[in-house]
Amino acid sequence: MKKEIPYKIYLSESELPYTWCNLRAFMKNKPAPLLDPNTMQPITVDALSKVFCEELAKQELDDTTQYIEIPTEVRDFYKMYRPAPLIRAYCLEKKLGTPAKIYYKFEGNNTSGSHKLNSAIAQAYYAKEQGLKGVTTETGAGQWGTALSMACSYFGLDCNVFMVKCSYEQKPFRREVMRTYGANVTPSPSMTTEVGRKINEQFPNTNGSLGCAISEAVEAASTREGYRYALGSVLNQVLLHQSVIGMETKTALDKYGVKADVIIGCAGGGSNLGGLIAPFMAEKLQGKADYQFIAVEPSSCPTLTRGKYAYDYCDTGKICPLSKMYTLGSGFIPAASHAGGLRYHGMTSTLSELYDQGLMEARSVKQTDVFEAAEYFARIEGILPAPESSHAIRVAMDEAIKCKETGEEKVIVFGLTGTGYFDMMSYEKFHDGKMTDYIPTDEEIEKGLAGLPKL
Amino acid sequence: MKKEIPYKIYLSESELPYTWCNLRAFMKNKPAPLLDPNTMQPITVDALSKVFCEELAKQELDDTTQYIEIPTEVRDFYKMYRPAPLIRAYCLEKKLGTPAKIYYKFEGNNTSGSHKLNSAIAQAYYAKEQGLKGVTTETGAGQWGTALSMACSYFGLDCNVFMVKCSYEQKPFRREVMRTYGANVTPSPSMTTEVGRKINEQFPNTNGSLGCAISEAVEAASTREGYRYALGSVLNQVLLHQSVIGMETKTALDKYGVKADVIIGCAGGGSNLGGLIAPFMAEKLQGKADYQFIAVEPSSCPTLTRGKYAYDYCDTGKICPLSKMYTLGSGFIPAASHAGGLRYHGMTSTLSELYDQGLMEARSVKQTDVFEAAEYFARIEGILPAPESSHAIRVAMDEAIKCKETGEEKVIVFGLTGTGYFDMMSYEKFHDGKMTDYIPTDEEIEKGLAGLPKL
């Protein structure tokens, strides 16, 4: 007899994963190696260790260990806000009148408001283990900065966040959450770094950019004794830590004998989607099961759907390693969008390679369509989603509506990465009919790609 | 063998209560009856039914039925965000170095951000059952308005919220959450009601007040066909619905063989505390077990600790029924406080009577002490608490510190009613050292009490 499926599947503490799933280790054709920007040769652990903690540098380059143990201290922290619920969208199914079964993994039930905390706590732990004083990072919308502040506060580490100046001024509440956790939040460009002073001199009225904030954070980490840099997406280590999302999702589905057909996630740098699909894709790569994977990106920043698979810099300042990835060019400036977390020119190398091999699909969606889905979902399922997460909602709903037409009883699983409490200004624009869509022209895309490094 | 207690105790769906616990029904000395403001006689179901739904009017006056069944539709909605976790504060205990065992019931994991949804969905359900078109209400800080918007959206009811004008302008994000759920949010005083137009004429630049917003909402409900009024606290019906908090808490503790010693909650109108203690107080009244109960209120609005037990109006406009309660007088204007949800001149009649009988204690705390506790808690336990909830945190921590001195291994349970995501302006003031404390003088208290009605 099949067990009745509750609205929310909560695993017990003992069912929480003991290991992360290292997706790359299951791939026959591995993602291409990161290149050292100084030598253009594959980067070494030693070189990476100057920027990141040593253990994280090792994880960054490890593409053979399939499962990596979650340290007890990290797992203890996970117990404070995990396992995250896997929710059966009974109300949404009913409202849509679809025969599809819809599930979503909800990562928003923690103070950082998103999945970012999964990697922040791991990165803070390894920094503490190495005896560091603190870490530096940048933040745009503020979710990553908040997550890292919380993690550093827990381990008693100093946390220095360079926050893009326009966000610092326009999102004072996010800034205050970070301050509540004891973080030192500096508007970027600042006068505390060389690169910041230079930019302030060149552009006295600049509002800052993520590229500049990254450069400041990296400089601060490398010039201060006992500090390293931490990053919230794109990196292999972040995908690894985020695999806790997929591990829990799989355990929950298995427990109720449910097999997913389609797995959907929004993709900016790609860490949440990479984490969600990790154990499922591992099965697919081993020929144990088949799944359809869909990455959803904003049409304003269509990395997978309109970008090029090539080596590129991960940052605008070109001081970080180069990665082979789908990219719009590190000089591509995405239009202002209400899903700040998806405004990244590239895509993590693992997902890029899987997409290139045809193992994963990609779709781009317009932001007004995304907010329409967000509001619909909020009213039906109760949860107010982040604009980023709502990209996945949009496509999950589209797939469910297709099932209504075909009569297929597909099992659709999507990642609901976070809540939209700090995005109400965007919702307001949507309510007032003032939200517009932006799709870059072919010329704009070509211009970005023309800036790719010649190797 | 005792079961090991996890960080978070989640009940399964089947353990979710099937009934609410009607605390008054367990009391030998009942709270005094509500009085009709027109006759000064005990109010009837008929008279109440002109303002509230009929079923809610019945619940309001029912002080004999011990357990009232939760309608299936309401229980189904509860399944979407409940059971709420009972969290063992392992990290806080460790940090404080206390032998006390601390638990908190966390009601913030839903989009309304607080426990208010527990009663909102019940009130919306009965309105729908009665075939009404919609409901009206008022909101100050916005939590109740948000909760009712969500509930009405679920049942397809029209929701009209009169939001105190200064909040409407200063808290645009709360307003947008309500709009996301389809509510019609009107700044109060408005030009849509008679009382609103009068007040706008008399005081052209007024920022509004909760008293005025209540009057507008009641007028709107009674003059529009198919509408009734809904209220988020103080009423008996609200305490009844909030008993789901206590029922779950008790089930979770019983499951692990834990007996609470002290139960603590913040108290504004008293609904969350009344709900939390309901099944425990019922045991105490039946002589089955003993517990210490502590109501925590702001020193700026010290209803229980400095008020008088007397009949008073529930609203500033004196159009609602009179209740015998601890009160500072319906004309008492509490100083601006960062815990807007605790700025109420009275206390629900049930808690007032229990306090008067010596079955419950009360403490008042200063807001700077409260924010100090809030920040400490956020850093240790991860959750960013609402200022209101932090009153309970303050006293729970004080009690745990006392245990450290005496060596007592008390089990302390407190209610964490909500999150502080929309209160970052208050946190900012605290961080910047700009928060002050306000304690009313004896003269101010006397002045408020002098306005009590002479019966």
Side-chain angles (χ1 to χ4, degrees), chain B residues 88-324:
Chain B
R88 173 74 184 269
Y90 280 119
C91 297
L92 182 63
E93 291 171 16
K94 196 174 155 191
K95 187 80 176 181
L96 292 174
T98 177
K101 318 291 180 214
I102 310 174
Y103 295 82
Y104 55 97
K105 181 72 169 172
F106 181 41
E107 292 287 327
N109 267 352
N110 70 71
T111 292
S112 82
S114 81
H115 63 292
K116 296 280 180 187
L117 199 51
N118 300 331
S119 183
I121 193 66
Q123 294 190 45
Y125 166 75
Y126 290 117
K128 183 74 181 173
E129 273 294 290
Q130 195 173 317
L132 297 179
K133 282 186 205 153
V135 295
T136 69
T137 197
E138 77 293 326
T139 201
Q143 284 164 321
W144 167 247
T146 307
L148 195 65
S149 303
M150 291 176 68
C152 286
S153 162
Y154 183 75
F155 283 122
L157 286 166
D158 188 30
C159 183
N160 290 286
V161 182
F162 290 89
M163 187 171 190
V164 179
K165 196 182 267 175
C166 63
S167 295
Y168 183 90
E169 282 160 6
Q170 284 171 14
K171 294 200 161 191
F173 294 168
R174 275 279 187 208
R175 182 187 76 207
E176 287 309 317
V177 179
M178 289 184 256
R179 287 180 76 197
T180 301
Y181 284 93
N184 188 351
V185 187
T186 309
S188 167
S190 75
M191 298 303 279
T192 67
T193 65
E194 201 171 312
V195 62
R197 285 188 292 269
K198 260 190 199 160
I199 292 173
N200 269 316
E201 204 174 295
Q202 273 189 289
F203 312 97
N205 295 314
T206 179
N207 278 324
S209 72
L210 205 55
C212 167
I214 293 180
S215 305
E216 286 205 86
V218 172
E219 182 190 320
S222 53
T223 54
R224 293 181 200 171
E225 186 67 27
Y227 282 79
R228 288 293 184 282
Y229 170 66
L231 184 64
S233 188
V234 186
L235 297 172
N236 295 317
Q237 58 189 269
V238 183
L239 254 76
L240 175 71
H241 307 148
Q242 294 298 355
S243 70
V244 69
I245 303 173
M247 299 283 279
E248 282 183 15
T249 302
K250 191 155 188 325
T251 305
L253 290 172
D254 287 351
K255 196 170 165 177
Y256 285 88
V258 176
K259 155 80 179 57
D261 295 306
V262 193
I263 301 178
I264 301 166
C266 62
S271 72
N272 100 76
L273 179 61
L276 173 63
I277 70 174
F280 300 97
M281 183 62 89
E283 281 198 336
K284 182 165 173 160
L285 290 164
Q286 294 169 300
K288 289 183 182 167
D290 197 22
Y291 302 98
Q292 182 187 8
F293 300 101
I294 308 175
V296 189
E297 55 186 20
S299 55
S300 60
C301 189
T303 315
L304 289 169
T305 50
R306 297 176 68 192
K308 196 173 163 183
Y309 192 35
Y311 264 109
D312 194 10
Y313 291 93
C314 293
D315 61 323
T316 319
K318 302 186 180 184
I319 54 174
C320 294
L322 289 86
S323 174
K324 189 178 175 193

Side-chain angles (χ1 to χ4, degrees), chain A residues 6-8 13 79-80 82 111 150 175-176 179-181 378-379 381-384 428 431-432, chain B residues 6-8 13 79-80 82 111 150 153 175-176 179-181 378-379 381-384 428 431-432:
Chain A
Y7 278 69
K8 300 191 271 32
E13 242 174 44
K79 288 179 193 170
M80 289 172 69
R82 308 197 66 81
T111 293
M150 291 175 68
R175 182 186 76 208
E176 287 309 317
R179 285 179 76 196
T180 302
Y181 285 94
R379 292 186 184 184
E381 287 288 316
I383 296 169
L384 186 80
E428 184 174 8
H431 296 147
D432 293 343
Chain B
Y7 278 69
K8 300 191 273 23
E13 244 174 42
K79 287 179 192 170
M80 289 172 68
R82 308 197 66 80
T111 292
M150 291 176 68
S153 162
R175 182 187 76 207
E176 287 309 317
R179 287 180 76 197
T180 301
Y181 284 93
R379 292 186 184 185
E381 287 287 317
I383 296 168
L384 186 80
E428 184 175 9
H431 295 147
D432 293 344

Side-chain angles (χ1 to χ4, degrees), chain B residues 45-63:
Chain B
V45 168
D46 276 358
L48 266 188
S49 297
K50 285 174 192 152
V51 180
F52 301 111
C53 300
E54 213 176 299
E55 197 57 35
L56 291 167
K58 283 183 198 160
Q59 289 181 357
E60 193 60 35
L61 300 186
D62 180 348
D63 60 7

Side-chain angles (χ1 to χ4, degrees), chain A residues 68-86:
Chain A
I68 293 177
E69 203 181 322
I70 303 174
T72 307
E73 291 83 349
V74 174
R75 200 169 176 277
D76 276 349
F77 187 89
Y78 279 170
K79 288 179 193 170
M80 289 172 69
Y81 71 100
R82 308 197 66 81
L86 180 70

Side-chain angles (χ1 to χ4, degrees), chain B residues 296-431:
Chain B
V296 189
E297 55 186 20
S299 55
S300 60
C301 189
T303 315
L304 289 169
T305 50
R306 297 176 68 192
K308 196 173 163 183
Y309 192 35
Y311 264 109
D312 194 10
Y313 291 93
C314 293
D315 61 323
T316 319
K318 302 186 180 184
I319 54 174
C320 294
L322 289 86
S323 174
K324 189 178 175 193
M325 57 183 176
Y326 273 84
T327 178
L328 296 163
S330 65
F332 178 81
I333 308 286
S337 143
H338 298 283
L342 304 181
R343 289 180 74 226
Y344 184 65
H345 68 277
M347 180 61 58
T348 184
S349 61
T350 301
L351 292 189
S352 291
E353 178 62 27
L354 290 167
Y355 178 63
D356 199 59
Q357 291 180 30
L359 291 161
M360 186 183 83
E361 301 167 28
R363 307 233 177 113
S364 72
V365 288
K366 289 189 295 184
Q367 75 175 353
T368 50
D369 292 341
V370 166
F371 273 83
E372 188 193 58
E375 184 168 281
Y376 188 89
F377 180 84
R379 292 186 184 185
I380 305 303
E381 287 287 317
I383 296 168
L384 186 80
E388 290 84 356
S389 323
S390 304
H391 285 69
I393 296 176
R394 174 75 267 169
V395 170
M397 278 172 52
D398 290 346
E399 290 296 306
I401 292 165
K402 271 189 218 160
C403 288
K404 189 178 173 178
E405 288 154 11
T406 62
E408 284 174 290
E409 294 187 20
K410 279 189 187 171
V411 172
I412 299 170
V413 176
F414 72 90
L416 188 69
T417 52
T419 49
Y421 304 135
F422 291 92
D423 300 290
M424 295 320 296
M425 262 198 295
S426 307
Y427 273 94
E428 184 175 9
K429 275 209 173 154
F430 176 70
H431 295 147

